[in-house]
Amino acid sequence: METRSRTVSGMRPTGPLHLGHYFGVLKNWIALQESSHAYFFVADWHALTSDFADTSALRRNIAEMVKDWAGAGLDPEKCVIFRQSAVKEHGELSLLLSMITPVSWLVRNPTYKEQQQQISNKDLGNAGFLCYPVLMAADILMYKPRGVPVGEDQLPHLELTREIARRFNSFYGETFPEPQALLTPAAKCPGLDGRKMSKSYGNGIFLSDSFVDIEAKVRGMFTDQARMRRSDPGNPDVCNLFPYHVLLTEAPAREDIRQGCTTAALGCVECKRIFLANLRAFLEPLQERRIALERRQDTVEDILAAGNKRARVFAEGTLAQAREKMGL
Ligand code: TRP
């Protein structure tokens, strides 16, 4: 008897993963590969919805992202790691779901409206971008998961997925259970400059960064900007570094840091030194796993080929059912 539930999630291959991805997403995925039947995929079709004009980096980004995943601890023996575009059933289910999805649901999607307004360097007037949530609904409903681990920014998409599932079920009979969002416990992970950590802001610490680069980045990192002199007491609650101690420094040592900072016993330079040591201890095993993978030839392709096959087996079953229910 099957007792573990299924979970599914995807990530767009847009570049190297940073600490925000690790603490905001990957950590959760790594736990879920133990506790559920987890499907994790490279959302390469989703990457094309906005980055269609220049696709020269796409292949490399896919390979690098899978290496980042495996380095972080996603284990192809414990979960299904696959590539969206290699499981064409995602495309077909997306087409079927598009038949029952009102365009009005898509245009009023908050994420859609926001990105249309805020992203000015790309033309997002294409149909593929409007239909992004339909494809995402197909990705999810395909595996009939109980949970979908996502960040808060994905909640509108997940709500649409549930609405599409309800509509399908109401037309054709109970087919798709409504999936729940598994929100990653909020991990505050600001960028080096205090803004959100993001590749496009150039303020990230990447999982594959060399320690030479990391040292330079941390040295330039903002702390409490009101703390001008070493003898001024600092405030960890407005410091951009302290949230990292919350993620990477054990509670007793972290309390010492808070105490030291607020009494000016501990300076920012020393505080950064402690952080760097902890970051290094955290990243080293990830990078070692990554390097081991790079030494073996063809491994990313092997991982994906095996995962694609496993995903396809499940996807074919769902598709057969969806076609049948829709009268095809
Ligand atoms: N939209 C998600 C993101 O940008 C990626 C994604 C595509 C996804 N399909 C999915 C996430 C299905 C969860 C489930 O992060």
Side-chain angles (χ1 to χ4, degrees):
M1 254 303 277
E2 191 50 84
T3 50
R4 289 191 305 169
S5 61
R6 272 181 308 279
T7 49
V8 59
S9 197
M11 211 185 269
R12 281 171 299 138
T14 51
L17 301 187
H18 51 61
L19 290 176
H21 291 115
Y22 181 86
F23 289 105
V25 184
L26 281 176
K27 202 176 161 193
N28 207 9
W29 286 16
I30 290 158
L32 284 166
Q33 71 180 350
E34 307 289 348
S35 61
S36 70
H37 284 288
Y39 291 78
F40 298 121
F41 65 93
V42 179
D44 52 352
W45 275 336
H46 275 113
L48 283 181
T49 63
S50 52
D51 294 331
F52 50 82
D54 177 4
T55 60
S56 54
L58 186 59
R59 270 204 203 101
R60 196 182 60 243
N61 285 344
I62 292 169
E64 292 299 307
M65 190 165 80
V66 173
K67 283 188 224 164
D68 276 339
W69 286 1
L74 270 198
D75 181 347
E77 303 286 323
K78 295 180 177 170
C79 63
V80 182
I81 298 176
F82 70 100
R83 179 173 173 172
Q84 183 186 39
S85 69
V87 183
K88 297 190 183 66
E89 283 76 8
H90 286 237
E92 186 177 342
L93 186 57
S94 176
L95 177 77
L96 295 181
L97 297 178
S98 77
M99 305 302 169
I100 62 163
T101 306
V103 174
S104 61
W105 289 7
L106 301 175
V107 290
R108 65 153 206 247
N109 178 293
T111 314
Y112 178 71
K113 285 201 288 199
E114 192 185 297
Q115 300 211 329
Q116 276 275 24
Q117 283 161 6
Q118 295 202 345
I119 299 178
S120 52
N121 59 340
K122 290 182 241 189
D123 176 8
L124 296 179
N126 51 322
F129 187 68
L130 176 67
C131 296
Y132 185 113
V134 181
L135 178 57
M136 184 158 158
D139 297 336
I140 295 171
L141 298 177
M142 185 71 85
Y143 301 94
K144 304 185 177 180
R146 188 182 303 165
V148 185
V150 286
E152 216 166 285
D153 60 316
Q154 298 294 311
L155 287 180
H157 289 326
L158 207 64
E159 193 47 46
L160 255 167
T161 298
R162 275 196 296 271
E163 282 170 24
I164 292 172
R166 275 200 289 276
R167 199 164 155 89
F168 190 101
N169 295 341
S170 75
F171 285 142
Y172 314 115
E174 197 58 34
T175 309
F176 295 115
E178 284 179 42
Q180 300 303 312
L182 301 174
L183 271 188
T184 309
K188 194 170 172 227
C189 214
L192 299 167
D193 54 2
R195 293 190 291 171
K196 184 180 157 135
M197 189 175 281
S198 157
K199 189 180 60 117
S200 45
Y201 293 158
N203 64 354
I205 296 176
F206 296 97
L207 302 181
S208 53
D209 270 349
S210 73
F211 288 107
V212 176
D213 286 348
I214 289 179
E215 236 183 284
K217 285 180 177 182
V218 171
R219 212 177 302 125
M221 203 167 166
F222 291 8
T223 52
D224 170 1
Q225 285 171 269
R227 190 177 185 188
M228 306 292 258
R229 276 170 300 251
R230 169 67 181 80
S231 54
D232 294 340
N235 179 3
D237 299 324
V238 300
C239 172
N240 290 315
L241 177 60
F242 193 74
Y244 285 98
H245 282 303
V246 174
L247 297 171
L248 284 165
T249 306
E250 300 289 344
R254 193 196 317 144
E255 270 322 293
D256 290 346
I257 289 170
R258 175 178 284 283
Q259 174 80 14
C261 175
T262 52
T263 56
L266 177 73
C268 294
V269 173
E270 177 63 9
C271 185
K272 285 181 173 178
R273 204 190 52 74
I274 300 170
F275 168 56
L276 262 175
N278 293 348
L279 182 59
R280 191 179 185 118
F282 163 72
L283 278 181
E284 241 160 19
L286 274 74
Q287 297 200 350
E288 275 163 20
R289 267 196 299 267
R290 194 182 209 282
I291 289 164
L293 189 80
E294 277 169 345
R295 289 226 178 92
R296 286 177 274 153
Q297 283 254 303
D298 290 342
T299 321
V300 168
E301 284 90 284
D302 291 345
I303 291 173
L304 290 175
N308 295 341
K309 222 161 122 184
R310 288 169 70 190
R312 212 174 287 131
V313 170
F314 199 97
E316 279 169 354
T318 306
L319 241 295
Q321 193 191 10
R323 283 193 208 108
E324 163 85 29
K325 293 256 184 179
M326 288 186 90
L328 293 168

Tab-separated table of all heavy atoms in Angstrom, residues 9-10 12 41 43 46 132 136 139-140 148 150 154, ligand 1:
chain	number	residue	atom	x	y	z
A	9	SER	N	7.255	20.103	-7.755
A	9	SER	CA	7.615	21.506	-7.886
A	9	SER	C	8.630	21.665	-9.022
A	9	SER	O	9.288	20.714	-9.414
A	9	SER	CB	8.197	22.047	-6.581
A	9	SER	OG	8.173	23.457	-6.592
A	10	GLY	N	8.714	22.876	-9.527
A	10	GLY	CA	9.637	23.147	-10.618
A	10	GLY	C	10.354	24.459	-10.413
A	10	GLY	O	9.950	25.284	-9.589
A	12	ARG	N	12.546	27.525	-12.802
A	12	ARG	CA	12.993	27.959	-14.131
A	12	ARG	C	14.515	28.047	-14.170
A	12	ARG	O	15.114	28.568	-13.228
A	12	ARG	CB	12.401	29.332	-14.461
A	12	ARG	CG	10.950	29.247	-14.928
A	12	ARG	CD	10.323	30.610	-15.029
A	12	ARG	NE	10.328	31.249	-13.716
A	12	ARG	CZ	10.630	32.521	-13.503
A	12	ARG	NH1	10.949	33.318	-14.494
A	12	ARG	NH2	10.609	33.007	-12.286
A	41	PHE	N	11.248	19.318	-11.269
A	41	PHE	CA	11.605	19.434	-12.678
A	41	PHE	C	12.179	20.803	-13.048
A	41	PHE	O	11.933	21.802	-12.381
A	41	PHE	CB	10.395	19.114	-13.566
A	41	PHE	CG	9.276	20.094	-13.429
A	41	PHE	CD1	9.198	21.180	-14.286
A	41	PHE	CD2	8.326	19.944	-12.440
A	41	PHE	CE1	8.172	22.097	-14.163
A	41	PHE	CE2	7.290	20.864	-12.310
A	41	PHE	CZ	7.218	21.943	-13.165
A	43	ALA	N	11.898	23.745	-15.265
A	43	ALA	CA	10.784	24.334	-16.018
A	43	ALA	C	11.338	25.112	-17.211
A	43	ALA	O	11.293	26.345	-17.262
A	43	ALA	CB	9.950	25.224	-15.099
A	46	HIS	N	8.782	27.084	-19.189
A	46	HIS	CA	8.446	28.328	-18.489
A	46	HIS	C	9.525	29.392	-18.675
A	46	HIS	O	9.226	30.583	-18.748
A	46	HIS	CB	8.201	28.067	-17.001
A	46	HIS	CG	6.794	27.640	-16.703
A	46	HIS	ND1	6.482	26.381	-16.251
A	46	HIS	CD2	5.630	28.295	-16.815
A	46	HIS	CE1	5.158	26.291	-16.104
A	46	HIS	NE2	4.619	27.453	-16.432
A	132	TYR	N	1.199	31.168	-18.962
A	132	TYR	CA	2.148	30.609	-17.991
A	132	TYR	C	1.433	29.793	-16.905
A	132	TYR	O	1.806	28.648	-16.630
A	132	TYR	CB	2.935	31.780	-17.390
A	132	TYR	CG	4.054	31.453	-16.437
A	132	TYR	CD1	5.381	31.723	-16.774
A	132	TYR	CD2	3.803	30.913	-15.178
A	132	TYR	CE1	6.419	31.451	-15.888
A	132	TYR	CE2	4.838	30.637	-14.293
A	132	TYR	CZ	6.143	30.914	-14.653
A	132	TYR	OH	7.158	30.644	-13.778
A	136	MET	N	1.618	25.810	-15.818
A	136	MET	CA	1.980	25.455	-14.442
A	136	MET	C	0.918	24.546	-13.828
A	136	MET	O	1.237	23.597	-13.115
A	136	MET	CB	2.165	26.731	-13.615
A	136	MET	CG	2.625	26.454	-12.203
A	136	MET	SD	3.424	27.901	-11.482
A	136	MET	CE	3.235	27.513	-9.732
A	139	ASP	N	1.623	21.161	-15.124
A	139	ASP	CA	2.782	20.577	-14.427
A	139	ASP	C	2.367	19.944	-13.111
A	139	ASP	O	2.857	18.888	-12.720
A	139	ASP	CB	3.808	21.665	-14.053
A	139	ASP	CG	4.408	22.378	-15.242
A	139	ASP	OD1	4.429	21.795	-16.337
A	139	ASP	OD2	4.865	23.532	-15.043
A	140	ILE	N	1.487	20.657	-12.435
A	140	ILE	CA	1.118	20.232	-11.082
A	140	ILE	C	0.075	19.118	-11.136
A	140	ILE	O	0.280	18.032	-10.591
A	140	ILE	CB	0.581	21.436	-10.272
A	140	ILE	CG1	1.698	22.467	-10.066
A	140	ILE	CG2	0.004	20.968	-8.937
A	140	ILE	CD1	1.224	23.784	-9.483
A	148	VAL	N	2.407	21.213	-2.980
A	148	VAL	CA	3.313	21.849	-3.932
A	148	VAL	C	4.189	22.844	-3.168
A	148	VAL	O	3.701	23.891	-2.731
A	148	VAL	CB	2.536	22.604	-5.027
A	148	VAL	CG1	3.481	23.164	-6.079
A	148	VAL	CG2	1.502	21.700	-5.685
A	150	VAL	N	6.229	25.814	-2.699
A	150	VAL	CA	6.505	27.034	-3.466
A	150	VAL	C	6.757	28.202	-2.523
A	150	VAL	O	6.425	28.141	-1.343
A	150	VAL	CB	5.312	27.433	-4.372
A	150	VAL	CG1	5.197	26.536	-5.574
A	150	VAL	CG2	4.012	27.477	-3.589
A	154	GLN	N	4.345	32.531	-5.533
A	154	GLN	CA	3.678	31.603	-6.459
A	154	GLN	C	2.233	31.303	-6.064
A	154	GLN	O	1.535	30.559	-6.744
A	154	GLN	CB	4.470	30.293	-6.534
A	154	GLN	CG	5.891	30.455	-7.060
A	154	GLN	CD	5.905	30.881	-8.508
A	154	GLN	OE1	5.229	30.305	-9.352
A	154	GLN	NE2	6.664	31.927	-8.809
B	1	TRP	N1	6.514	29.351	-11.600
B	1	TRP	C1	7.519	28.687	-10.824
B	1	TRP	C2	8.598	29.713	-10.435
B	1	TRP	O1	8.813	30.658	-11.139
B	1	TRP	C3	8.147	27.554	-11.569
B	1	TRP	C4	7.161	26.468	-11.838
B	1	TRP	C5	6.735	26.077	-13.057
B	1	TRP	C6	6.528	25.657	-10.872
B	1	TRP	N2	5.869	25.047	-12.914
B	1	TRP	C7	5.701	24.748	-11.603
B	1	TRP	C8	6.567	25.587	-9.477
B	1	TRP	C9	4.928	23.820	-10.950
B	1	TRP	C10	5.767	24.646	-8.839
B	1	TRP	C11	4.961	23.757	-9.572
B	1	TRP	O2	9.259	29.524	-9.439
